[in-house]
Amino acid sequence: MAEIQNGGFCSRNPLELFEQVTTQGEKVRSLKAEKAPKDEIEAAVKLLLSLKLSYKTATGQEYKAGSPPTHFTPVSNGPGDAEDEDFVDPWTVQTSNAKGIDYDKLIVRFGSSKIDKDLINRIERVTGHKPHHFLRRGIFFSHRDMNQVLDAYENKKPFYLYTGRGPSSEAMHVGHLIPFIFTKWLQEVFNVPLVIQLTDDEKYLWKDLTVEKAHQYAIENIKDIIACGFDVNKTFIFSDLDYLGSSPEFYKNIIKVQKHVTFNQVKGIFGFTDSDCIGKISFPAIQAAPAFCTSFPHIFNNRKDVQCLIPCAIDQDPYFRMTRDVAPRIGYPKPALLHSVFFPALQGAQTKMSASDPNSSIFLTDTPKQIKTKINKHAFSGGKDTVEEHRKYGGNCDVDVSYMYLTFFLEDDDKLEQIKQAYTSGALLTGELKKTLIETLQPLIATHQQRRKQITSEMVKEFMTPRKLAFDY
């Protein structure tokens, strides 16, 4: 990571870094207590996270309040490489590399498996369907136990899908569509039940929101999710604030997980500190519980052996590493996972698109004019400084955000390859590439908006009502 400016030079001396993190943490707490403006608090939190990352890079240890460093080993990929470390957890994604996160390193670090050509071919054989372009292009790039899921499916053993959304804002952005687009495809080709969790309780605990506002965001986000085209006969969508109070079996699984994970383990996995509220510390068990089929007795008729497959961005993997560790100890199969890359911010792949930063995001509520303006003004370019240089040397698709977005939303493989060749050779200019992206996203978002307008409160209630789905167990 790059050095962080904190009113001056950010030291690499571990003791000085420790003091800087401590001071910044106190500042964040003070700002929150004083109910300072939201953007001021967010800026202070961002600096705190960066300081903690610098501390970990310098010492090889997580920052622990009241525990200054003694013995430490710097974390590095090699000489002069300390600033290139990627930082990934369920709340923050940062890298100094303009190409984005090094996903091969992340696979090694997280201990998952790469989705290779053999696995993609097997999915095609088993389902009889051409693999989704998210698979073909490496957008879903990593997995845990997917071959086991396919073994079971070939032997006529059932599984179900589980994904989710943390409703941090009323409007979702285009990056939020990625897991739902892919999950819908998985549900259609495998013909399996799907449960979708809205963690409005999590957003209340982490954000400056009231309980009521967090729940309102969940309902609005559910309308966007339904608009993706899910089948109400095969899909159950729930808000934690609604479902937990009405489902004893869901709560039983939550406390089973809580009993089998220690406070030290949770701190080690998620980086919680002694100043975090107890709600945060206990929350991971709530995200774990939907991975166990007995949390949904109305769907699975109290069976305990139906395995779960979870499509999600890889920053959510810490939750499910914990879940997989607990599962056999409480009598359940380990959930399998399919991991996606992050959807980059408009300003570049160093961080993911964030709903809290309107200039980094294209929202599903944006007008065609807003989409055009945001892309033209903010989308990071891999082109050269002048037309002459670009024609001579070509553009860099590895860092160009407009091209990255097209890999997600332009389904035509041949057209995408033509664009890449033209841009790399210099035949296609940055403005022309941005125009192609604009013309791809404007109708996609307009179509989504039309579908969303048709979602009624009654439809939301139907998706959210615990009920038997179109499967027999």
Side-chain angles (χ1 to χ4, degrees):
M1 291 295 295
E3 294 288 341
I4 305 299
Q5 299 300 319
N6 183 16
F9 177 70
C10 174
S11 172
R12 285 276 171 182
N13 179 286
L15 288 173
E16 291 180 12
L17 276 170
F18 179 84
E19 293 299 330
Q20 288 175 339
V21 175
T22 301
T23 301
Q24 188 66 17
E26 291 170 353
K27 180 180 179 181
V28 169
R29 285 190 289 276
S30 175
L31 288 171
K32 289 181 177 179
E34 295 166 3
K35 299 189 182 300
K38 185 178 179 182
D39 57 348
E40 188 177 349
I41 294 174
E42 287 181 348
V45 170
K46 187 174 182 179
L47 177 56
L48 176 61
L49 291 170
S50 297
L51 286 167
K52 284 184 175 181
L53 179 57
S54 295
Y55 178 85
K56 183 177 180 180
T57 300
T59 66
Q61 303 170 6
E62 299 286 353
Y63 169 83
K64 293 183 180 179
S67 301
T70 51
H71 306 292
F72 55 87
T73 304
V75 176
S76 175
N77 292 326
D81 204 32
E83 293 186 358
D84 293 331
E85 283 296 316
D86 298 337
F87 183 84
V88 176
D89 72 11
W91 305 280
T92 306
V93 177
Q94 290 180 331
T95 180
S96 59
N97 191 328
K99 295 181 181 180
I101 300 293
D102 187 328
Y103 291 104
D104 288 333
K105 286 184 181 177
L106 209 55
I107 286 173
V108 173
R109 189 172 124 204
F110 281 10
S112 58
S113 301
K114 188 178 181 67
I115 295 178
D116 57 19
K117 188 66 177 174
D118 288 342
L119 180 57
I120 295 172
N121 289 340
R122 187 179 181 200
I123 292 172
E124 182 171 15
R125 287 196 308 272
V126 169
T127 64
H129 291 267
K130 181 181 179 180
H132 195 279
H133 69 275
F134 286 177
L135 282 172
R136 301 195 307 269
R137 297 175 188 170
I139 290 169
F140 274 81
F141 70 101
S142 165
H143 75 99
R144 296 185 187 277
D145 290 345
M146 186 60 193
N147 278 305
Q148 185 182 100
V149 170
L150 295 174
D151 289 342
Y153 183 77
E154 288 183 311
N155 288 308
K156 310 300 182 186
K157 293 181 180 178
F159 74 92
Y160 71 102
L161 293 163
Y162 157 40
T163 194
R165 158 86 182 123
S168 57
S169 61
E170 188 168 348
M172 290 167 57
H173 61 60
V174 289
H176 293 141
L177 289 177
I178 303 308
F180 297 111
I181 291 171
F182 188 61
T183 299
K184 179 174 180 289
W185 180 82
L186 289 170
Q187 184 183 41
E188 289 172 349
V189 300
F190 285 105
N191 190 32
V192 291
L194 164 65
V195 297
I196 300 175
Q197 179 185 46
L198 276 290
T199 55
D200 40 7
D201 51 345
E202 175 204 13
K203 294 309 173 186
Y204 169 70
L205 292 168
W206 262 267
K207 300 283 187 178
D208 185 20
L209 297 173
T210 63
V211 171
E212 292 75 20
K213 180 63 71 174
H215 186 257
Q216 177 192 334
Y217 285 171
I219 299 301
E220 293 304 314
N221 285 190
I222 286 170
K223 293 176 184 177
D224 276 308
I225 293 168
I226 294 172
C228 291
F230 289 105
D231 186 341
V232 69
N233 296 311
K234 300 177 181 180
T235 307
F236 173 53
I237 305 176
F238 65 99
S239 138
D240 286 341
L241 291 174
D242 284 334
Y243 189 57
L244 202 153
S246 64
S247 176
E249 298 307 318
F250 185 45
Y251 182 61
K252 287 175 185 176
N253 281 333
I254 291 169
I255 61 168
K256 286 177 185 177
V257 175
Q258 289 172 343
K259 183 172 183 177
H260 286 80
V261 181
T262 68
F263 180 41
N264 276 339
Q265 286 175 313
V266 167
K267 286 199 294 184
I269 296 168
F270 299 101
F272 296 143
T273 69
D274 293 343
S275 60
D276 282 310
C277 70
I278 60 174
K280 289 184 179 182
I281 294 158
S282 62
F283 172 76
I286 300 174
Q287 187 159 324
F292 308 132
C293 61
T294 56
S295 293
F296 309 101
H298 52 282
I299 300 174
F300 299 106
N301 197 26
N302 294 312
R303 282 185 61 168
K304 295 183 63 176
D305 61 339
V306 184
Q307 189 177 15
C308 175
L309 173 61
I310 306 169
C312 63
I314 197 166
D315 59 343
Q316 298 302 301
D317 189 69
Y319 283 109
F320 302 116
R321 291 202 301 272
M322 180 197 77
T323 307
R324 284 167 56 84
D325 178 64
V326 171
R329 292 189 278 151
I330 58 177
Y332 297 124
K334 291 182 178 182
L337 288 100
L338 291 169
H339 300 125
S340 74
V341 302
F342 304 114
F343 194 82
L346 279 166
Q347 288 81 359
Q350 289 93 336
T351 188
K352 65 179 180 178
M353 186 175 279
S354 170
S356 60
D357 182 357
N359 289 327
S360 81
S361 307
I362 296 173
F363 289 97
L364 299 179
T365 53
D366 283 347
T367 64
K369 183 179 179 181
Q370 286 173 318
I371 294 166
K372 181 177 180 180
T373 299
K374 285 183 178 182
I375 292 171
N376 282 331
K377 186 175 181 180
H378 297 295
F380 184 81
S381 169
K384 298 298 183 285
D385 292 337
T386 66
V387 172
E388 291 76 16
E389 287 181 340
H390 187 88
R391 294 291 191 201
K392 183 176 181 180
Y393 300 110
N396 184 355
C397 288
D398 289 338
V399 301
D400 194 288
V401 165
S402 295
Y403 178 78
M404 292 179 190
Y405 284 15
L406 286 172
T407 66
F408 286 88
F409 293 113
L410 184 63
E411 295 187 21
D412 188 323
D413 290 338
D414 292 337
K415 186 174 181 180
L416 184 68
E417 182 60 28
Q418 289 170 8
I419 289 169
K420 182 177 183 179
Q421 293 298 330
Y423 193 62
T424 303
S425 70
L428 186 71
L429 298 175
T430 295
E432 294 168 329
L433 179 59
K434 288 186 174 185
K435 183 173 183 288
T436 301
L437 175 63
I438 291 165
E439 292 172 348
T440 301
L441 282 183
Q442 282 177 336
L444 184 149
I445 292 175
T447 300
H448 180 89
Q449 290 169 353
Q450 287 300 315
R451 288 198 300 258
R452 193 186 190 281
K453 284 180 183 177
Q454 298 169 16
I455 307 302
T456 64
S457 298
E458 289 73 22
M459 292 170 70
V460 172
K461 183 177 180 181
E462 186 176 5
F463 270 94
M464 295 184 71
T465 299
R467 65 203 185 282
K468 182 184 183 298
L469 300 181
F471 302 92
D472 293 317
Y473 291 96

mmCIF file with all atom_site columns, all heavy atoms in Angstrom, residues 1-12:
data_model
loop_
_atom_site.group_PDB
_atom_site.id
_atom_site.type_symbol
_atom_site.label_atom_id
_atom_site.label_alt_id
_atom_site.label_comp_id
_atom_site.label_asym_id
_atom_site.label_entity_id
_atom_site.label_seq_id
_atom_site.pdbx_PDB_ins_code
_atom_site.Cartn_x
_atom_site.Cartn_y
_atom_site.Cartn_z
_atom_site.occupancy
_atom_site.B_iso_or_equiv
_atom_site.pdbx_formal_charge
_atom_site.auth_seq_id
_atom_site.auth_comp_id
_atom_site.auth_asym_id
_atom_site.auth_atom_id
_atom_site.pdbx_PDB_model_num
ATOM 1  N N   . MET A 1 1  ? 0.838  -1.200 0.000  1.00 0.00 ? 1  MET A N   1
ATOM 2  C CA  . MET A 1 1  ? 0.000  0.000  0.000  1.00 0.00 ? 1  MET A CA  1
ATOM 3  C C   . MET A 1 1  ? 0.870  1.246  0.000  1.00 0.00 ? 1  MET A C   1
ATOM 4  O O   . MET A 1 1  ? 1.961  1.264  0.548  1.00 0.00 ? 1  MET A O   1
ATOM 5  C CB  . MET A 1 1  ? -0.871 0.023  1.266  1.00 0.00 ? 1  MET A CB  1
ATOM 6  C CG  . MET A 1 1  ? -1.940 -1.051 1.286  1.00 0.00 ? 1  MET A CG  1
ATOM 7  S SD  . MET A 1 1  ? -3.178 -0.834 0.004  1.00 0.00 ? 1  MET A SD  1
ATOM 8  C CE  . MET A 1 1  ? -3.920 0.696  0.527  1.00 0.00 ? 1  MET A CE  1
ATOM 9  N N   . ALA A 1 2  ? 0.345  2.312  -0.554 1.00 0.00 ? 2  ALA A N   1
ATOM 10 C CA  . ALA A 1 2  ? 1.074  3.570  -0.555 1.00 0.00 ? 2  ALA A CA  1
ATOM 11 C C   . ALA A 1 2  ? 1.121  4.141  0.848  1.00 0.00 ? 2  ALA A C   1
ATOM 12 O O   . ALA A 1 2  ? 0.282  3.836  1.695  1.00 0.00 ? 2  ALA A O   1
ATOM 13 C CB  . ALA A 1 2  ? 0.387  4.561  -1.497 1.00 0.00 ? 2  ALA A CB  1
ATOM 14 N N   . GLU A 1 3  ? 2.105  4.975  1.102  1.00 0.00 ? 3  GLU A N   1
ATOM 15 C CA  . GLU A 1 3  ? 2.191  5.640  2.390  1.00 0.00 ? 3  GLU A CA  1
ATOM 16 C C   . GLU A 1 3  ? 0.960  6.524  2.582  1.00 0.00 ? 3  GLU A C   1
ATOM 17 O O   . GLU A 1 3  ? 0.457  7.157  1.655  1.00 0.00 ? 3  GLU A O   1
ATOM 18 C CB  . GLU A 1 3  ? 3.454  6.505  2.452  1.00 0.00 ? 3  GLU A CB  1
ATOM 19 C CG  . GLU A 1 3  ? 4.733  5.706  2.413  1.00 0.00 ? 3  GLU A CG  1
ATOM 20 C CD  . GLU A 1 3  ? 4.997  4.963  3.695  1.00 0.00 ? 3  GLU A CD  1
ATOM 21 O OE1 . GLU A 1 3  ? 4.415  5.320  4.728  1.00 0.00 ? 3  GLU A OE1 1
ATOM 22 O OE2 . GLU A 1 3  ? 5.783  4.003  3.650  1.00 0.00 ? 3  GLU A OE2 1
ATOM 23 N N   . ILE A 1 4  ? 0.476  6.604  3.803  1.00 0.00 ? 4  ILE A N   1
ATOM 24 C CA  . ILE A 1 4  ? -0.715 7.390  4.113  1.00 0.00 ? 4  ILE A CA  1
ATOM 25 C C   . ILE A 1 4  ? -0.299 8.709  4.738  1.00 0.00 ? 4  ILE A C   1
ATOM 26 O O   . ILE A 1 4  ? 0.513  8.758  5.664  1.00 0.00 ? 4  ILE A O   1
ATOM 27 C CB  . ILE A 1 4  ? -1.625 6.632  5.117  1.00 0.00 ? 4  ILE A CB  1
ATOM 28 C CG1 . ILE A 1 4  ? -1.967 5.254  4.558  1.00 0.00 ? 4  ILE A CG1 1
ATOM 29 C CG2 . ILE A 1 4  ? -2.873 7.413  5.415  1.00 0.00 ? 4  ILE A CG2 1
ATOM 30 C CD1 . ILE A 1 4  ? -2.709 5.264  3.261  1.00 0.00 ? 4  ILE A CD1 1
ATOM 31 N N   . GLN A 1 5  ? -0.872 9.791  4.235  1.00 0.00 ? 5  GLN A N   1
ATOM 32 C CA  . GLN A 1 5  ? -0.586 11.097 4.817  1.00 0.00 ? 5  GLN A CA  1
ATOM 33 C C   . GLN A 1 5  ? -1.526 11.326 5.989  1.00 0.00 ? 5  GLN A C   1
ATOM 34 O O   . GLN A 1 5  ? -2.737 11.256 5.865  1.00 0.00 ? 5  GLN A O   1
ATOM 35 C CB  . GLN A 1 5  ? -0.775 12.200 3.763  1.00 0.00 ? 5  GLN A CB  1
ATOM 36 C CG  . GLN A 1 5  ? 0.162  12.057 2.569  1.00 0.00 ? 5  GLN A CG  1
ATOM 37 C CD  . GLN A 1 5  ? 1.618  12.117 2.968  1.00 0.00 ? 5  GLN A CD  1
ATOM 38 O OE1 . GLN A 1 5  ? 2.009  12.913 3.801  1.00 0.00 ? 5  GLN A OE1 1
ATOM 39 N NE2 . GLN A 1 5  ? 2.426  11.260 2.365  1.00 0.00 ? 5  GLN A NE2 1
ATOM 40 N N   . ASN A 1 6  ? -0.983 11.629 7.131  1.00 0.00 ? 6  ASN A N   1
ATOM 41 C CA  . ASN A 1 6  ? -1.776 11.854 8.344  1.00 0.00 ? 6  ASN A CA  1
ATOM 42 C C   . ASN A 1 6  ? -1.261 13.125 8.994  1.00 0.00 ? 6  ASN A C   1
ATOM 43 O O   . ASN A 1 6  ? -0.686 13.116 10.063 1.00 0.00 ? 6  ASN A O   1
ATOM 44 C CB  . ASN A 1 6  ? -1.634 10.654 9.292  1.00 0.00 ? 6  ASN A CB  1
ATOM 45 C CG  . ASN A 1 6  ? -2.502 10.809 10.526 1.00 0.00 ? 6  ASN A CG  1
ATOM 46 O OD1 . ASN A 1 6  ? -3.405 11.626 10.545 1.00 0.00 ? 6  ASN A OD1 1
ATOM 47 N ND2 . ASN A 1 6  ? -2.221 10.003 11.536 1.00 0.00 ? 6  ASN A ND2 1
ATOM 48 N N   . GLY A 1 7  ? -1.463 14.252 8.268  1.00 0.00 ? 7  GLY A N   1
ATOM 49 C CA  . GLY A 1 7  ? -0.927 15.490 8.750  1.00 0.00 ? 7  GLY A CA  1
ATOM 50 C C   . GLY A 1 7  ? 0.585  15.481 8.643  1.00 0.00 ? 7  GLY A C   1
ATOM 51 O O   . GLY A 1 7  ? 1.295  16.175 9.348  1.00 0.00 ? 7  GLY A O   1
ATOM 52 N N   . GLY A 1 8  ? 1.142  14.664 7.748  1.00 0.00 ? 8  GLY A N   1
ATOM 53 C CA  . GLY A 1 8  ? 2.587  14.555 7.626  1.00 0.00 ? 8  GLY A CA  1
ATOM 54 C C   . GLY A 1 8  ? 2.966  13.143 7.252  1.00 0.00 ? 8  GLY A C   1
ATOM 55 O O   . GLY A 1 8  ? 2.159  12.368 6.761  1.00 0.00 ? 8  GLY A O   1
ATOM 56 N N   . PHE A 1 9  ? 4.198  12.774 7.527  1.00 0.00 ? 9  PHE A N   1
ATOM 57 C CA  . PHE A 1 9  ? 4.734  11.473 7.126  1.00 0.00 ? 9  PHE A CA  1
ATOM 58 C C   . PHE A 1 9  ? 4.180  10.367 8.001  1.00 0.00 ? 9  PHE A C   1
ATOM 59 O O   . PHE A 1 9  ? 4.102  10.493 9.222  1.00 0.00 ? 9  PHE A O   1
ATOM 60 C CB  . PHE A 1 9  ? 6.267  11.517 7.243  1.00 0.00 ? 9  PHE A CB  1
ATOM 61 C CG  . PHE A 1 9  ? 6.927  10.213 6.926  1.00 0.00 ? 9  PHE A CG  1
ATOM 62 C CD1 . PHE A 1 9  ? 6.933  9.733  5.630  1.00 0.00 ? 9  PHE A CD1 1
ATOM 63 C CD2 . PHE A 1 9  ? 7.545  9.471  7.914  1.00 0.00 ? 9  PHE A CD2 1
ATOM 64 C CE1 . PHE A 1 9  ? 7.553  8.533  5.325  1.00 0.00 ? 9  PHE A CE1 1
ATOM 65 C CE2 . PHE A 1 9  ? 8.160  8.264  7.617  1.00 0.00 ? 9  PHE A CE2 1
ATOM 66 C CZ  . PHE A 1 9  ? 8.162  7.807  6.321  1.00 0.00 ? 9  PHE A CZ  1
ATOM 67 N N   . CYS A 1 10 ? 3.756  9.270  7.357  1.00 0.00 ? 10 CYS A N   1
ATOM 68 C CA  . CYS A 1 10 ? 3.288  8.087  8.092  1.00 0.00 ? 10 CYS A CA  1
ATOM 69 C C   . CYS A 1 10 ? 4.465  7.150  8.278  1.00 0.00 ? 10 CYS A C   1
ATOM 70 O O   . CYS A 1 10 ? 4.962  6.558  7.328  1.00 0.00 ? 10 CYS A O   1
ATOM 71 C CB  . CYS A 1 10 ? 2.163  7.394  7.319  1.00 0.00 ? 10 CYS A CB  1
ATOM 72 S SG  . CYS A 1 10 ? 1.659  5.839  8.052  1.00 0.00 ? 10 CYS A SG  1
ATOM 73 N N   . SER A 1 11 ? 4.916  6.990  9.507  1.00 0.00 ? 11 SER A N   1
ATOM 74 C CA  . SER A 1 11 ? 6.146  6.250  9.780  1.00 0.00 ? 11 SER A CA  1
ATOM 75 C C   . SER A 1 11 ? 5.963  4.762  9.567  1.00 0.00 ? 11 SER A C   1
ATOM 76 O O   . SER A 1 11 ? 4.887  4.212  9.751  1.00 0.00 ? 11 SER A O   1
ATOM 77 C CB  . SER A 1 11 ? 6.564  6.490  11.241 1.00 0.00 ? 11 SER A CB  1
ATOM 78 O OG  . SER A 1 11 ? 7.635  5.658  11.583 1.00 0.00 ? 11 SER A OG  1
ATOM 79 N N   . ARG A 1 12 ? 7.064  4.095  9.168  1.00 0.00 ? 12 ARG A N   1
ATOM 80 C CA  . ARG A 1 12 ? 7.084  2.640  9.083  1.00 0.00 ? 12 ARG A CA  1
ATOM 81 C C   . ARG A 1 12 ? 7.656  2.035  10.358 1.00 0.00 ? 12 ARG A C   1
ATOM 82 O O   . ARG A 1 12 ? 7.764  0.835  10.464 1.00 0.00 ? 12 ARG A O   1
ATOM 83 C CB  . ARG A 1 12 ? 7.926  2.200  7.878  1.00 0.00 ? 12 ARG A CB  1
ATOM 84 C CG  . ARG A 1 12 ? 7.226  2.415  6.555  1.00 0.00 ? 12 ARG A CG  1
ATOM 85 C CD  . ARG A 1 12 ? 6.318  1.262  6.233  1.00 0.00 ? 12 ARG A CD  1
ATOM 86 N NE  . ARG A 1 12 ? 5.492  1.549  5.069  1.00 0.00 ? 12 ARG A NE  1
ATOM 87 C CZ  . ARG A 1 12 ? 4.582  0.731  4.586  1.00 0.00 ? 12 ARG A CZ  1
ATOM 88 N NH1 . ARG A 1 12 ? 4.359  -0.413 5.143  1.00 0.00 ? 12 ARG A NH1 1
ATOM 89 N NH2 . ARG A 1 12 ? 3.877  1.053  3.540  1.00 0.00 ? 12 ARG A NH2 1
#
